[in-house]
mmCIF file of all heavy atoms in Angstrom:
data_model
loop_
_atom_site.group_PDB
_atom_site.id
_atom_site.type_symbol
_atom_site.label_atom_id
_atom_site.label_comp_id
_atom_site.label_asym_id
_atom_site.label_seq_id
_atom_site.Cartn_x
_atom_site.Cartn_y
_atom_site.Cartn_z
ATOM 1 N N GLY A 199 -2.446 -9.636 14.643
ATOM 2 C CA GLY A 199 -2.008 -10.957 14.216
ATOM 3 C C GLY A 199 -0.841 -10.962 13.252
ATOM 4 O O GLY A 199 -0.629 -11.938 12.523
ATOM 5 N N VAL A 200 -0.057 -9.864 13.244
ATOM 6 C CA VAL A 200 1.087 -9.770 12.338
ATOM 7 C C VAL A 200 2.148 -10.806 12.726
ATOM 8 O O VAL A 200 2.561 -10.880 13.882
ATOM 9 C CB VAL A 200 1.694 -8.348 12.358
ATOM 10 C CG1 VAL A 200 3.008 -8.297 11.589
ATOM 11 C CG2 VAL A 200 0.692 -7.345 11.780
ATOM 12 N N GLY A 201 2.585 -11.595 11.736
ATOM 13 C CA GLY A 201 3.617 -12.593 11.995
ATOM 14 C C GLY A 201 4.995 -12.153 11.542
ATOM 15 O O GLY A 201 6.014 -12.662 12.014
ATOM 16 N N LEU A 202 5.015 -11.189 10.612
ATOM 17 C CA LEU A 202 6.277 -10.674 10.073
ATOM 18 C C LEU A 202 6.115 -9.183 9.827
ATOM 19 O O LEU A 202 5.118 -8.746 9.235
ATOM 20 C CB LEU A 202 6.634 -11.385 8.767
ATOM 21 C CG LEU A 202 7.816 -10.816 7.979
ATOM 22 C CD1 LEU A 202 9.121 -11.033 8.736
ATOM 23 C CD2 LEU A 202 7.899 -11.461 6.591
ATOM 24 N N TYR A 203 7.102 -8.408 10.274
ATOM 25 C CA TYR A 203 7.050 -6.950 10.104
ATOM 26 C C TYR A 203 8.250 -6.516 9.279
ATOM 27 O O TYR A 203 9.392 -6.927 9.534
ATOM 28 C CB TYR A 203 7.086 -6.265 11.467
ATOM 29 C CG TYR A 203 7.003 -4.746 11.411
ATOM 30 C CD1 TYR A 203 5.774 -4.110 11.250
ATOM 31 C CD2 TYR A 203 8.141 -3.962 11.529
ATOM 32 C CE1 TYR A 203 5.684 -2.727 11.212
ATOM 33 C CE2 TYR A 203 8.065 -2.575 11.491
ATOM 34 C CZ TYR A 203 6.836 -1.964 11.325
ATOM 35 O OH TYR A 203 6.750 -0.585 11.289
ATOM 36 N N HIS A 204 7.984 -5.661 8.278
ATOM 37 C CA HIS A 204 9.046 -5.170 7.402
ATOM 38 C C HIS A 204 9.187 -3.658 7.571
ATOM 39 O O HIS A 204 8.295 -2.894 7.202
ATOM 40 C CB HIS A 204 8.710 -5.513 5.940
ATOM 41 C CG HIS A 204 9.810 -5.206 4.975
ATOM 42 N ND1 HIS A 204 9.802 -5.668 3.675
ATOM 43 C CD2 HIS A 204 10.966 -4.489 5.104
ATOM 44 C CE1 HIS A 204 10.888 -5.252 3.057
ATOM 45 N NE2 HIS A 204 11.602 -4.521 3.904
ATOM 46 N N GLY A 205 10.314 -3.241 8.130
ATOM 47 C CA GLY A 205 10.645 -1.818 8.207
ATOM 48 C C GLY A 205 11.216 -1.375 6.875
ATOM 49 O O GLY A 205 12.371 -1.686 6.547
ATOM 50 N N LEU A 206 10.445 -0.663 6.095
ATOM 51 C CA LEU A 206 10.812 -0.349 4.717
ATOM 52 C C LEU A 206 11.813 0.787 4.586
ATOM 53 O O LEU A 206 12.357 1.015 3.505
ATOM 54 C CB LEU A 206 9.549 0.000 3.918
ATOM 55 C CG LEU A 206 8.571 -1.164 3.707
ATOM 56 C CD1 LEU A 206 7.207 -0.642 3.269
ATOM 57 C CD2 LEU A 206 9.119 -2.139 2.673
ATOM 58 N N SER A 207 12.052 1.511 5.684
ATOM 59 C CA SER A 207 12.909 2.691 5.581
ATOM 60 C C SER A 207 13.874 2.790 6.760
ATOM 61 O O SER A 207 13.792 3.708 7.570
ATOM 62 C CB SER A 207 12.076 3.964 5.459
ATOM 63 O OG SER A 207 11.102 4.016 6.487
ATOM 64 N N ASN A 208 14.732 1.788 6.876
ATOM 65 C CA ASN A 208 15.910 1.844 7.751
ATOM 66 C C ASN A 208 15.670 1.667 9.245
ATOM 67 O O ASN A 208 16.623 1.779 10.022
ATOM 68 C CB ASN A 208 16.668 3.181 7.556
ATOM 69 C CG ASN A 208 16.974 3.493 6.114
ATOM 70 O OD1 ASN A 208 17.699 2.758 5.458
ATOM 71 N ND2 ASN A 208 16.406 4.578 5.602
ATOM 72 N N GLU A 209 14.449 1.393 9.682
ATOM 73 C CA GLU A 209 14.211 1.251 11.117
ATOM 74 C C GLU A 209 13.081 0.271 11.403
ATOM 75 O O GLU A 209 12.222 0.022 10.558
ATOM 76 C CB GLU A 209 13.916 2.612 11.752
ATOM 77 C CG GLU A 209 12.874 3.446 11.037
ATOM 78 C CD GLU A 209 12.787 4.859 11.613
ATOM 79 O OE1 GLU A 209 12.680 5.004 12.846
ATOM 80 O OE2 GLU A 209 12.807 5.822 10.821
ATOM 81 N N ILE A 210 13.124 -0.297 12.614
ATOM 82 C CA ILE A 210 12.062 -1.170 13.110
ATOM 83 C C ILE A 210 11.733 -0.738 14.536
ATOM 84 O O ILE A 210 12.555 -0.090 15.205
ATOM 85 C CB ILE A 210 12.474 -2.658 13.080
ATOM 86 C CG1 ILE A 210 13.746 -2.898 13.894
ATOM 87 C CG2 ILE A 210 12.619 -3.152 11.652
ATOM 88 C CD1 ILE A 210 14.127 -4.356 14.036
ATOM 89 N N PRO A 211 10.547 -1.071 15.046
ATOM 90 C CA PRO A 211 10.153 -0.617 16.387
ATOM 91 C C PRO A 211 11.025 -1.222 17.491
ATOM 92 O O PRO A 211 11.487 -2.364 17.396
ATOM 93 C CB PRO A 211 8.702 -1.098 16.517
ATOM 94 C CG PRO A 211 8.258 -1.403 15.137
ATOM 95 C CD PRO A 211 9.462 -1.811 14.377
ATOM 96 N N VAL A 212 11.219 -0.448 18.534
ATOM 97 C CA VAL A 212 11.917 -0.927 19.720
ATOM 98 C C VAL A 212 11.077 -2.004 20.399
ATOM 99 O O VAL A 212 9.865 -1.847 20.572
ATOM 100 C CB VAL A 212 12.177 0.235 20.703
ATOM 101 C CG1 VAL A 212 12.784 -0.279 22.018
ATOM 102 C CG2 VAL A 212 13.078 1.279 20.064
ATOM 103 N N GLY A 213 11.700 -3.120 20.720
ATOM 104 C CA GLY A 213 11.004 -4.186 21.429
ATOM 105 C C GLY A 213 10.381 -5.241 20.550
ATOM 106 O O GLY A 213 9.868 -6.246 21.061
ATOM 107 N N ILE A 214 10.418 -5.070 19.250
ATOM 108 C CA ILE A 214 9.786 -6.061 18.375
ATOM 109 C C ILE A 214 10.511 -7.400 18.468
ATOM 110 O O ILE A 214 9.907 -8.465 18.304
ATOM 111 C CB ILE A 214 9.720 -5.566 16.915
ATOM 112 C CG1 ILE A 214 8.755 -6.450 16.114
ATOM 113 C CG2 ILE A 214 11.106 -5.514 16.276
ATOM 114 C CD1 ILE A 214 8.419 -5.903 14.747
ATOM 115 N N GLU A 215 11.798 -7.358 18.773
ATOM 116 C CA GLU A 215 12.568 -8.592 18.849
ATOM 117 C C GLU A 215 12.164 -9.461 20.045
ATOM 118 O O GLU A 215 12.496 -10.660 20.099
ATOM 119 C CB GLU A 215 14.070 -8.283 18.917
ATOM 120 C CG GLU A 215 14.530 -7.572 20.175
ATOM 121 C CD GLU A 215 14.336 -6.065 20.136
ATOM 122 O OE1 GLU A 215 13.588 -5.564 19.256
ATOM 123 O OE2 GLU A 215 14.923 -5.385 20.989
ATOM 124 N N GLU A 216 11.433 -8.868 20.985
ATOM 125 C CA GLU A 216 10.976 -9.617 22.165
ATOM 126 C C GLU A 216 9.501 -9.992 22.070
ATOM 127 O O GLU A 216 8.946 -10.582 22.995
ATOM 128 C CB GLU A 216 11.201 -8.775 23.422
ATOM 129 C CG GLU A 216 12.670 -8.391 23.639
ATOM 130 C CD GLU A 216 12.822 -7.301 24.685
ATOM 131 O OE1 GLU A 216 11.789 -6.779 25.160
ATOM 132 O OE2 GLU A 216 13.972 -6.964 25.012
ATOM 133 N N SER A 217 8.860 -9.662 20.955
ATOM 134 C CA SER A 217 7.408 -9.831 20.831
ATOM 135 C C SER A 217 6.997 -11.157 20.202
ATOM 136 O O SER A 217 5.814 -11.497 20.213
ATOM 137 C CB SER A 217 6.841 -8.695 19.976
ATOM 138 O OG SER A 217 7.272 -8.831 18.623
ATOM 139 N N GLY A 218 7.942 -11.866 19.614
ATOM 140 C CA GLY A 218 7.598 -13.069 18.868
ATOM 141 C C GLY A 218 7.296 -12.797 17.410
ATOM 142 O O GLY A 218 7.063 -13.721 16.636
ATOM 143 N N ILE A 219 7.304 -11.518 17.008
ATOM 144 C CA ILE A 219 7.072 -11.133 15.616
ATOM 145 C C ILE A 219 8.408 -11.058 14.902
ATOM 146 O O ILE A 219 9.331 -10.362 15.347
ATOM 147 C CB ILE A 219 6.356 -9.766 15.535
ATOM 148 C CG1 ILE A 219 5.001 -9.832 16.237
ATOM 149 C CG2 ILE A 219 6.184 -9.335 14.077
ATOM 150 C CD1 ILE A 219 4.331 -8.473 16.384
ATOM 151 N N LYS A 220 8.548 -11.776 13.800
ATOM 152 C CA LYS A 220 9.771 -11.726 13.017
ATOM 153 C C LYS A 220 9.883 -10.369 12.312
ATOM 154 O O LYS A 220 8.869 -9.726 12.016
ATOM 155 C CB LYS A 220 9.787 -12.848 11.972
ATOM 156 C CG LYS A 220 9.778 -14.255 12.565
ATOM 157 C CD LYS A 220 11.076 -14.538 13.307
ATOM 158 C CE LYS A 220 11.144 -15.984 13.769
ATOM 159 N NZ LYS A 220 12.420 -16.288 14.470
ATOM 160 N N SER A 221 11.124 -9.955 12.032
ATOM 161 C CA SER A 221 11.296 -8.634 11.435
ATOM 162 C C SER A 221 12.364 -8.620 10.351
ATOM 163 O O SER A 221 13.357 -9.347 10.411
ATOM 164 C CB SER A 221 11.669 -7.606 12.513
ATOM 165 O OG SER A 221 12.929 -7.914 13.089
ATOM 166 N N VAL A 222 12.110 -7.775 9.349
ATOM 167 C CA VAL A 222 13.047 -7.503 8.258
ATOM 168 C C VAL A 222 13.165 -5.991 8.156
ATOM 169 O O VAL A 222 12.171 -5.276 8.306
ATOM 170 C CB VAL A 222 12.525 -8.083 6.926
ATOM 171 C CG1 VAL A 222 13.418 -7.650 5.761
ATOM 172 C CG2 VAL A 222 12.439 -9.597 6.989
ATOM 173 N N VAL A 223 14.372 -5.496 7.908
ATOM 174 C CA VAL A 223 14.538 -4.059 7.693
ATOM 175 C C VAL A 223 15.266 -3.833 6.374
ATOM 176 O O VAL A 223 16.188 -4.566 6.022
ATOM 177 C CB VAL A 223 15.322 -3.387 8.848
ATOM 178 C CG1 VAL A 223 16.759 -3.890 8.928
ATOM 179 C CG2 VAL A 223 15.290 -1.863 8.705
ATOM 180 N N THR A 224 14.802 -2.841 5.606
ATOM 181 C CA THR A 224 15.517 -2.421 4.409
ATOM 182 C C THR A 224 16.431 -1.261 4.775
ATOM 183 O O THR A 224 15.977 -0.247 5.297
ATOM 184 C CB THR A 224 14.555 -1.968 3.299
ATOM 185 O OG1 THR A 224 13.759 -3.077 2.868
ATOM 186 C CG2 THR A 224 15.334 -1.441 2.102
ATOM 187 N N ILE A 225 17.722 -1.430 4.510
ATOM 188 C CA ILE A 225 18.699 -0.351 4.675
ATOM 189 C C ILE A 225 19.036 0.173 3.282
ATOM 190 O O ILE A 225 19.497 -0.580 2.419
ATOM 191 C CB ILE A 225 19.976 -0.846 5.389
ATOM 192 C CG1 ILE A 225 19.629 -1.398 6.782
ATOM 193 C CG2 ILE A 225 20.994 0.284 5.499
ATOM 194 C CD1 ILE A 225 19.100 -0.367 7.767
ATOM 195 N N HIS A 226 18.802 1.450 3.074
ATOM 196 C CA HIS A 226 18.976 2.038 1.744
ATOM 197 C C HIS A 226 20.398 2.506 1.490
ATOM 198 O O HIS A 226 20.933 2.325 0.392
ATOM 199 C CB HIS A 226 17.976 3.177 1.546
ATOM 200 C CG HIS A 226 16.559 2.697 1.515
ATOM 201 N ND1 HIS A 226 15.900 2.416 0.347
ATOM 202 C CD2 HIS A 226 15.684 2.414 2.514
ATOM 203 C CE1 HIS A 226 14.668 1.981 0.622
ATOM 204 N NE2 HIS A 226 14.522 1.979 1.932
ATOM 205 N N ASP A 227 21.002 3.123 2.463
ATOM 206 C CA ASP A 227 22.399 3.536 2.314
ATOM 207 C C ASP A 227 22.929 3.997 3.661
ATOM 208 O O ASP A 227 22.164 4.268 4.589
ATOM 209 C CB ASP A 227 22.551 4.668 1.276
ATOM 210 C CG ASP A 227 21.844 5.956 1.697
ATOM 211 O OD1 ASP A 227 22.332 6.630 2.626
ATOM 212 O OD2 ASP A 227 20.812 6.290 1.088
ATOM 213 N N LEU A 228 24.252 4.076 3.753
ATOM 214 C CA LEU A 228 24.928 4.618 4.936
ATOM 215 C C LEU A 228 25.832 5.772 4.505
ATOM 216 O O LEU A 228 26.957 5.923 4.983
ATOM 217 C CB LEU A 228 25.738 3.528 5.654
ATOM 218 C CG LEU A 228 24.945 2.330 6.190
ATOM 219 C CD1 LEU A 228 25.882 1.340 6.883
ATOM 220 C CD2 LEU A 228 23.852 2.773 7.154
ATOM 221 N N ILE A 229 25.321 6.592 3.614
ATOM 222 C CA ILE A 229 26.112 7.697 3.086
ATOM 223 C C ILE A 229 26.525 8.654 4.199
ATOM 224 O O ILE A 229 27.610 9.240 4.166
ATOM 225 C CB ILE A 229 25.332 8.449 1.988
ATOM 226 C CG1 ILE A 229 24.995 7.495 0.835
ATOM 227 C CG2 ILE A 229 26.131 9.631 1.450
ATOM 228 C CD1 ILE A 229 24.097 8.101 -0.224
ATOM 229 N N PHE A 230 25.683 8.807 5.217
ATOM 230 C CA PHE A 230 25.993 9.725 6.314
ATOM 231 C C PHE A 230 27.234 9.288 7.084
ATOM 232 O O PHE A 230 27.856 10.097 7.775
ATOM 233 C CB PHE A 230 24.794 9.861 7.258
ATOM 234 C CG PHE A 230 24.365 8.567 7.886
ATOM 235 C CD1 PHE A 230 24.863 8.178 9.108
ATOM 236 C CD2 PHE A 230 23.453 7.738 7.246
ATOM 237 C CE1 PHE A 230 24.474 6.979 9.692
ATOM 238 C CE2 PHE A 230 23.057 6.537 7.812
ATOM 239 C CZ PHE A 230 23.572 6.150 9.040
ATOM 240 N N LEU A 231 27.607 8.021 6.992
ATOM 241 C CA LEU A 231 28.838 7.536 7.619
ATOM 242 C C LEU A 231 30.017 7.608 6.657
ATOM 243 O O LEU A 231 31.138 7.925 7.060
ATOM 244 C CB LEU A 231 28.658 6.090 8.095
ATOM 245 C CG LEU A 231 27.664 5.877 9.235
ATOM 246 C CD1 LEU A 231 27.526 4.388 9.559
ATOM 247 C CD2 LEU A 231 28.088 6.635 10.495
ATOM 248 N N ARG A 232 29.775 7.333 5.408
ATOM 249 C CA ARG A 232 30.856 7.360 4.418
ATOM 250 C C ARG A 232 31.245 8.782 4.053
ATOM 251 O O ARG A 232 32.426 9.086 3.832
ATOM 252 C CB ARG A 232 30.430 6.588 3.166
ATOM 253 C CG ARG A 232 31.523 6.451 2.142
ATOM 254 C CD ARG A 232 31.150 5.477 1.044
ATOM 255 N NE ARG A 232 31.197 4.106 1.503
ATOM 256 C CZ ARG A 232 32.310 3.385 1.563
ATOM 257 N NH1 ARG A 232 33.466 3.930 1.239
ATOM 258 N NH2 ARG A 232 32.275 2.129 1.956
ATOM 259 N N TYR A 233 30.260 9.674 3.987
ATOM 260 C CA TYR A 233 30.521 11.081 3.670
ATOM 261 C C TYR A 233 29.868 11.972 4.725
ATOM 262 O O TYR A 233 28.889 12.674 4.449
ATOM 263 C CB TYR A 233 29.989 11.432 2.275
ATOM 264 C CG TYR A 233 30.779 10.822 1.148
ATOM 265 C CD1 TYR A 233 30.392 9.611 0.573
ATOM 266 C CD2 TYR A 233 31.933 11.439 0.664
ATOM 267 C CE1 TYR A 233 31.122 9.039 -0.455
ATOM 268 C CE2 TYR A 233 32.667 10.883 -0.365
ATOM 269 C CZ TYR A 233 32.258 9.680 -0.917
ATOM 270 O OH TYR A 233 32.984 9.120 -1.936
ATOM 271 N N PRO A 234 30.385 11.963 5.950
ATOM 272 C CA PRO A 234 29.754 12.713 7.045
ATOM 273 C C PRO A 234 29.704 14.221 6.809
ATOM 274 O O PRO A 234 28.848 14.911 7.364
ATOM 275 C CB PRO A 234 30.625 12.371 8.261
ATOM 276 C CG PRO A 234 31.931 11.924 7.691
ATOM 277 C CD PRO A 234 31.600 11.246 6.407
ATOM 278 N N GLU A 235 30.599 14.722 5.955
ATOM 279 C CA GLU A 235 30.645 16.162 5.711
ATOM 280 C C GLU A 235 29.387 16.685 5.019
ATOM 281 O O GLU A 235 29.117 17.890 5.031
ATOM 282 C CB GLU A 235 31.868 16.535 4.879
ATOM 283 C CG GLU A 235 31.912 15.948 3.477
ATOM 284 C CD GLU A 235 32.581 14.586 3.391
ATOM 285 O OE1 GLU A 235 32.601 13.875 4.418
ATOM 286 O OE2 GLU A 235 33.077 14.241 2.302
ATOM 287 N N TYR A 236 28.591 15.799 4.452
ATOM 288 C CA TYR A 236 27.376 16.222 3.766
ATOM 289 C C TYR A 236 26.163 16.295 4.702
ATOM 290 O O TYR A 236 25.063 16.620 4.254
ATOM 291 C CB TYR A 236 27.042 15.261 2.627
ATOM 292 C CG TYR A 236 28.074 15.222 1.516
ATOM 293 C CD1 TYR A 236 28.317 14.049 0.811
ATOM 294 C CD2 TYR A 236 28.806 16.359 1.164
ATOM 295 C CE1 TYR A 236 29.261 14.003 -0.218
ATOM 296 C CE2 TYR A 236 29.745 16.324 0.152
ATOM 297 C CZ TYR A 236 29.969 15.148 -0.538
ATOM 298 O OH TYR A 236 30.898 15.108 -1.548
ATOM 299 N N TYR A 237 26.349 15.991 5.989
ATOM 300 C CA TYR A 237 25.221 15.913 6.927
ATOM 301 C C TYR A 237 25.507 16.713 8.195
ATOM 302 O O TYR A 237 26.654 16.828 8.624
ATOM 303 C CB TYR A 237 24.944 14.450 7.312
ATOM 304 C CG TYR A 237 24.501 13.591 6.167
ATOM 305 C CD1 TYR A 237 25.423 13.027 5.289
ATOM 306 C CD2 TYR A 237 23.149 13.343 5.940
ATOM 307 C CE1 TYR A 237 25.018 12.242 4.224
ATOM 308 C CE2 TYR A 237 22.734 12.547 4.883
ATOM 309 C CZ TYR A 237 23.677 12.012 4.023
ATOM 310 O OH TYR A 237 23.274 11.239 2.969
ATOM 311 N N LYS A 238 24.456 17.217 8.804
ATOM 312 C CA LYS A 238 24.589 17.883 10.086
ATOM 313 C C LYS A 238 24.935 16.846 11.158
ATOM 314 O O LYS A 238 24.429 15.717 11.120
ATOM 315 C CB LYS A 238 23.279 18.584 10.452
ATOM 316 C CG LYS A 238 22.872 19.692 9.493
ATOM 317 C CD LYS A 238 21.534 20.284 9.900
ATOM 318 C CE LYS A 238 21.105 21.373 8.925
ATOM 319 N NZ LYS A 238 19.781 21.938 9.275
ATOM 320 N N PRO A 239 25.765 17.222 12.143
ATOM 321 C CA PRO A 239 26.159 16.267 13.188
ATOM 322 C C PRO A 239 24.970 15.617 13.893
ATOM 323 O O PRO A 239 24.982 14.408 14.152
ATOM 324 C CB PRO A 239 26.990 17.118 14.151
ATOM 325 C CG PRO A 239 27.563 18.188 13.281
ATOM 326 C CD PRO A 239 26.485 18.497 12.279
ATOM 327 N N VAL A 240 23.935 16.392 14.199
ATOM 328 C CA VAL A 240 22.790 15.840 14.910
ATOM 329 C C VAL A 240 22.061 14.818 14.048
ATOM 330 O O VAL A 240 21.604 13.774 14.533
ATOM 331 C CB VAL A 240 21.824 16.959 15.372
ATOM 332 C CG1 VAL A 240 21.210 17.696 14.186
ATOM 333 C CG2 VAL A 240 20.744 16.382 16.280
ATOM 334 N N ASP A 241 21.967 15.074 12.743
ATOM 335 C CA ASP A 241 21.313 14.125 11.840
ATOM 336 C C ASP A 241 22.113 12.828 11.747
ATOM 337 O O ASP A 241 21.541 11.731 11.741
ATOM 338 C CB ASP A 241 21.147 14.736 10.454
ATOM 339 C CG ASP A 241 20.105 15.846 10.416
ATOM 340 O OD1 ASP A 241 19.239 15.860 11.318
ATOM 341 O OD2 ASP A 241 20.150 16.690 9.508
ATOM 342 N N ARG A 242 23.436 12.953 11.673
ATOM 343 C CA ARG A 242 24.281 11.758 11.607
ATOM 344 C C ARG A 242 24.076 10.875 12.833
ATOM 345 O O ARG A 242 23.975 9.649 12.722
ATOM 346 C CB ARG A 242 25.753 12.149 11.505
ATOM 347 C CG ARG A 242 26.145 12.839 10.222
ATOM 348 C CD ARG A 242 27.640 12.732 9.984
ATOM 349 N NE ARG A 242 28.434 13.186 11.108
ATOM 350 C CZ ARG A 242 28.920 14.410 11.265
ATOM 351 N NH1 ARG A 242 28.650 15.330 10.351
ATOM 352 N NH2 ARG A 242 29.663 14.732 12.302
ATOM 353 N N LYS A 243 24.006 11.487 13.995
ATOM 354 C CA LYS A 243 23.840 10.717 15.229
ATOM 355 C C LYS A 243 22.493 10.003 15.269
ATOM 356 O O LYS A 243 22.398 8.842 15.669
ATOM 357 C CB LYS A 243 23.980 11.641 16.446
ATOM 358 C CG LYS A 243 25.398 12.148 16.667
ATOM 359 C CD LYS A 243 25.478 13.049 17.894
ATOM 360 C CE LYS A 243 26.898 13.545 18.116
ATOM 361 N NZ LYS A 243 26.987 14.442 19.302
ATOM 362 N N ILE A 244 21.446 10.696 14.847
ATOM 363 C CA ILE A 244 20.104 10.101 14.839
ATOM 364 C C ILE A 244 20.050 8.937 13.858
ATOM 365 O O ILE A 244 19.578 7.838 14.188
ATOM 366 C CB ILE A 244 19.041 11.160 14.489
ATOM 367 C CG1 ILE A 244 18.922 12.192 15.628
ATOM 368 C CG2 ILE A 244 17.688 10.496 14.228
ATOM 369 C CD1 ILE A 244 18.045 13.376 15.289
#
């Protein structure tokens, strides 16, 4: 009976937007895009 779902760590489930359940996501940072040299390529893509 969840009416609102909060993704607390940068992601929400696939398909929730079609379920009728409202969603909020917390984005903490995009450092992997601003400073890509600090991250492995595979991690950046994920």
Side-chain angles (χ1 to χ4, degrees):
V200 171
L202 171 68
Y203 181 81
H204 187 167
L206 293 164
S207 51
N208 309 297
E209 49 188 310
I210 57 174
V212 174
I214 194 169
E215 66 277 15
E216 301 167 355
S217 69
I219 300 171
K220 297 293 186 179
S221 64
V222 173
V223 65
T224 295
I225 300 294
H226 294 265
D227 64 72
L228 299 180
I229 300 174
F230 60 92
L231 293 177
R232 185 170 287 277
Y233 289 95
E235 63 271 25
Y236 296 147
Y237 296 82
K238 297 177 181 178
V240 64
D241 289 338
R242 293 201 307 266
K243 290 181 180 179
I244 292 172

